Structure formats: structure tokens, C-alpha cells
């Protein structure tokens, strides 16, 4: 497994996303993922599954320190009176006394930004989060966050797959020694029927999902967190470390980016600096 080294942590470039997994399916999914070799797990307060994620990790028998665990604080907990309390609840549910990465799930409203970042920094100081970061931030918002936090922000978790050009944000993160955590890396399955990807997959004797994930992790300082409920997907998505895409193949896949390639665009989203949703 390749890692991104940042501050005190080694972040596995391939993680397991858990949005929409709950109960038995989530517990078993985590166990299967850990069995398959995943050591990076992504959850969030808003997914309502932190307890199941905690149970899955516990049942897997793996040592806590072997896992890079991320959770995200939901927007309604951004105020000073709720933030740390909500993190304590997350830690309880996850059966741990720290997460490796704690994120603000979406950008705070303009006048709440400073307060939320202050809280995030306090949690890092307390040792309850080894690294802190943000999610769904534009370059403009990142500039603000970095100024406020003196660059302790380690990542921006954003949508990242071949149908969306995240080049400018990626470049900005690299320049600031941060990394990009790519969510919905399979475009929720949408990109897998593309004939360009299918042809490249055939050439490498791989499937389309493996090619798309390989494309993502061949970018400098990018980690991805595909979600899979199916045991077959969990296993095949992990089997991407024995082949390499050529520069030409990388470019062909990148050229699939579309102006309307964004999949995740809720009403509270910021004014994006790249693609809009279809
Ligand atoms: P995704 O990982 O791009 O796609 C998941 C979908 O693809 C599921 O329907 C899954 O099916 C299917 N799939 C998985 N592997 C496949 C394969 N090899 N071949 C064909 N289909 C495959 O989408 P996502 O769940 O939106 O994103 C991943 C994770 O990112 C989330 O779970 C969450 O942890 C995180 N996320 C974060 C944010 C944020 O705001 N920070 C937003 C969205 C997502 P099965 O489940 O049936 O296997």
C-alpha cells in the first residue's frame, strides 16, 4: 500500500468510504474491507453509522493504531457549545479516544467560519484528532482556512473522478503541502461504462473500477475512498497496486472531464470553482 506522509501520519492512498452503509451491512463491510487490506476508513457524523464503523473495526480484531480513521463534524455542530461535545460522542461511538483525521464536513456559513476553525484547532490540540482538515472547500475558502489555522489543515476532501476537473484545487493543495482526499471516486458508478476506460481496462486485464481508482492514486498527493457494499467490489477496488497507467492513458482518462460532471451539489454547497452538477 502506498502512503501520503503528512505531519505525524501516514495516510493510505486507498480508503473505504461508508456513506449509506448502516447496521449489519456496515459492520460486515468494514470487516471485509479490513480483511482485504484496507487500513483507511471514512465516516461522518451525518452518515449515522459511526457506531457500526466502531463495531466493524472492533470485530475485525485489528489494532486501532493500524487504521487511519476519519470522521467529519456536521454543520449543526460547528458552534463552540456543540463542537467538542459532538466529537466526544463520535469517539464514543467509534470506540476510540482519537481519530486520525477530523474534517469540517461542509464549509461553515461565512460568519461562522472562524468559530468552526477555532474549534477544529482546539480538538487537534486536545489530541482527539491527529490531523484536521476540511471538506468541500473551494480555493478561496482554503485560503481563508490556511490563514486562520497557520496551515495545520492537512486535507480537503472533495469530489474527484475522471468526469470532474479538480486540477486547480489539486495544484493549490500540493503547493501548500496538503493532500486531496477524493470522494465519489467512481462517480457513483457513473463513469464505469465509458468506452475509453473500458478499453484501457481490457489492455491491463483489469476492470473499469480498478482503472478509475488507479488513475486517481497515480496523482501526486491524492487518496481516494470508494464505497462498496458488495464483497466483490470491496476486493476488486483494492486490487490496484500491481499495474501502472502510462502518461498517455492518464491524459485520456483526464480528458473525460465535463463542465457538468459534478455528482454532489446540495443546496448548501459553496460557489464551486470547477464543474457544476448536470
Ligand atoms: P463512489 O465510491 O464513487 O461509488 C459508490 C457506488 O459505486 C456504490 O453504488 C457501489 O456499489 C459502486 N461500486 C463500488 N465499487 C464498484 C466497482 N468496482 N464496480 C462497479 N460499481 C462499484 O461514491 P460515494 O459513496 O459517493 O463516495 C465514496 C465515499 O466518499 C462515501 O462513501 C463517503 O465516505 C465519501 N463522501 C464524502 C462526501 C463529503 O461531502 N465529504 C460526499 C460524498 C461521499 P455497491 O455499494 O453495491 O458495492
Amino acid at each position: 500500500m502506498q502512503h501520503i506522509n503528512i505531519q505525524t501520519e501516514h495516510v493510505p492512498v486507498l480508503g473505504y468510504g461508508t456513506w449509506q452503509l448502516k447496521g449489519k451491512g456496515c459492520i460486515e463491510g468494514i470487516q471485509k474491507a479490513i480483511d482485504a487490506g484496507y487500513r483507511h476508513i471514512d465516516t461522518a457524523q451525518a452518515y449515522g453509522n459511526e457506531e457500526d464503523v466502531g463495531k466493524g473495526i472492533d470485530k475485525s480484531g485489528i489494532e486501532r493504531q493500524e487504521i487511519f480513521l476519519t470522521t467529519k463534524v456536521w454543520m449543526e455542530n460547528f458552534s463552540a457549545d456543540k463542537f467538542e461535545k459532538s466529537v466526544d460522542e463520535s469517539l464514543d461511538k467509534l470506540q476510540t479516544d482519537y481519530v486520525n483525521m477530523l474534517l469540517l464536513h461542509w464549509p461553515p456559513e461565512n460568519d461562522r467560519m472562524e468559530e468552526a476553525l477555532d474549534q477544529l484547532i482546539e480538538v487537534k490540540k486536545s489530541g482527539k484528532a491527529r490531523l484536521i482538515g476540511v471538506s468541500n472547500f473551494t480555493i478561496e475558502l482554503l485560503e481563508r482556512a490556511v490563514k486562520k489555522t497557520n496551515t495545520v489543515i492537512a486535507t480537503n476532501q472533495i469530489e474527484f473522478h475522471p468526469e470532474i476537473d479538480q486540477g486547480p484545487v489539486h495544484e493549490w493543495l500540493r503547493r501548500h503541502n496538503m493532500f486531496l482526499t477524493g470522494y465519489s471516486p467512481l462517480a457513483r458508478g457513473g463513469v464505469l461504462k465509458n468506452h475509453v476506460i473500458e478499453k484501457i481496462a481490457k489492455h491491463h486485464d483489469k476492470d473499469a473500477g480498478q482503472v478509475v481508482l488507479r488513475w486517481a492514486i497515480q496523482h501526486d498527493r491524492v487518496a481516494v475512498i470508494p464505497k462498496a457494499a458488495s464483497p466483490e467490489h470491496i476486493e476488486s477496488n483494492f486490487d490496484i497496486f500491481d499495474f501502472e497507467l502510462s502518461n498517455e492513458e492518464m491524459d485520456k482518462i483526464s480528458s473525460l472531464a465535463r463542465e457538468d460532471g459534478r455528482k454532489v451539489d446540495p443546496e448548501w454547497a459553496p460557489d464551486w470553482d470547477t464543474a457544476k452538477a448536470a
Side-chain angles (χ1 to χ4, degrees):
M1 168 67 78
Q2 300 161 27
H3 293 83
I4 297 166
N5 297 322
I6 185 146
Q7 298 171 33
T8 54
E9 298 289 290
H10 308 291
V11 187
V13 293
L14 185 70
Y16 183 60
T18 64
W19 181 58
Q20 287 183 321
L21 291 174
K22 275 197 183 162
K24 194 164 167 271
C26 181
I27 298 170
E28 289 178 1
I30 296 279
Q31 286 179 273
K32 287 207 174 78
I34 291 173
D35 270 358
Y38 293 76
R39 294 292 180 267
H40 173 172
I41 295 170
D42 182 83
T43 180
Q45 293 174 348
Y47 300 169
N49 65 6
E50 289 173 309
E51 206 168 329
D52 300 319
V53 169
K55 282 182 189 163
I57 295 173
D58 180 52
K59 280 195 164 187
S60 76
I62 194 116
E63 296 288 333
R64 168 68 187 90
Q65 64 265 26
E66 298 293 317
I67 301 287
F68 185 88
L69 180 60
T70 297
T71 197
K72 317 183 191 82
V73 179
W74 188 238
M75 296 180 284
E76 65 192 30
N77 294 326
F78 283 170
S79 59
D81 58 329
K82 292 190 183 159
F83 198 99
E84 193 168 355
K85 215 167 130 235
S86 82
V87 173
D88 288 341
E89 279 169 21
S90 291
L91 295 179
D92 260 7
K93 290 178 183 167
L94 290 164
Q95 303 183 32
T96 184
D97 52 10
Y98 71 96
V99 285
N100 301 77
M101 177 74 83
L102 185 71
L103 304 177
L104 300 182
H105 203 147
W106 284 88
E109 284 168 34
N110 219 2
D111 55 347
R112 308 301 292 270
M113 175 73 95
E114 315 289 308
E115 187 179 5
L117 289 170
D118 277 342
Q119 292 300 308
L120 196 59
I121 293 166
E122 282 310 307
V123 172
K124 184 172 195 288
K125 280 187 192 150
S126 74
K128 292 174 189 171
R130 298 257 166 99
L131 298 176
I132 53 174
V134 294
S135 180
N136 297 301
F137 271 44
T138 59
I139 291 176
E140 191 189 331
L141 293 168
L142 284 167
E143 300 269 9
R144 244 177 100 181
V146 159
K147 213 166 153 197
K148 170 77 188 164
T149 60
N150 237 340
T151 73
V152 287
I153 296 289
T155 196
N156 185 23
Q157 184 179 124
I158 52 172
E159 187 171 333
F160 191 81
H161 52 72
E163 291 185 347
I164 186 169
D165 175 13
Q166 294 287 32
V169 194
H170 177 224
E171 192 44 42
W172 189 96
L173 291 165
R174 287 177 65 210
R175 250 192 300 120
H176 289 80
N177 292 320
M178 299 179 198
F179 69 99
L180 188 158
T181 309
Y183 74 64
S184 307
L186 300 163
R188 299 197 158 152
V191 72
L192 304 178
K193 293 268 176 279
N194 184 284
H195 70 276
V196 171
I197 291 173
E198 279 180 339
K199 202 169 157 201
I200 294 173
K202 204 167 167 202
H203 174 70
H204 287 279
D205 201 15
K206 288 284 174 184
D207 67 30
Q210 291 167 330
V211 165
V212 168
L213 295 174
R214 181 74 212 181
W215 168 86
I217 62 157
Q218 267 186 228
H219 288 78
D220 183 37
R221 298 179 89 80
V222 170
V224 282
I225 46 170
K227 173 259 176 183
S230 121
E232 293 75 31
H233 291 160
I234 291 175
E235 278 192 21
S236 70
N237 291 346
F238 195 78
D239 187 16
I240 59 169
F241 296 101
D242 61 351
F243 75 112
E244 201 167 332
L245 298 170
S246 67
N247 290 340
E248 196 193 335
E249 288 169 329
M250 289 290 289
D251 290 346
K252 269 191 187 159
I253 298 170
S254 301
S255 72
L256 299 174
R258 306 191 320 241
E259 283 297 312
D260 62 352
R262 188 177 290 278
K263 306 283 180 256
V264 180
D265 197 16
E267 63 195 34
W268 55 82
D271 193 9
W272 300 114
D273 36 20
T274 55
K276 306 278 180 236

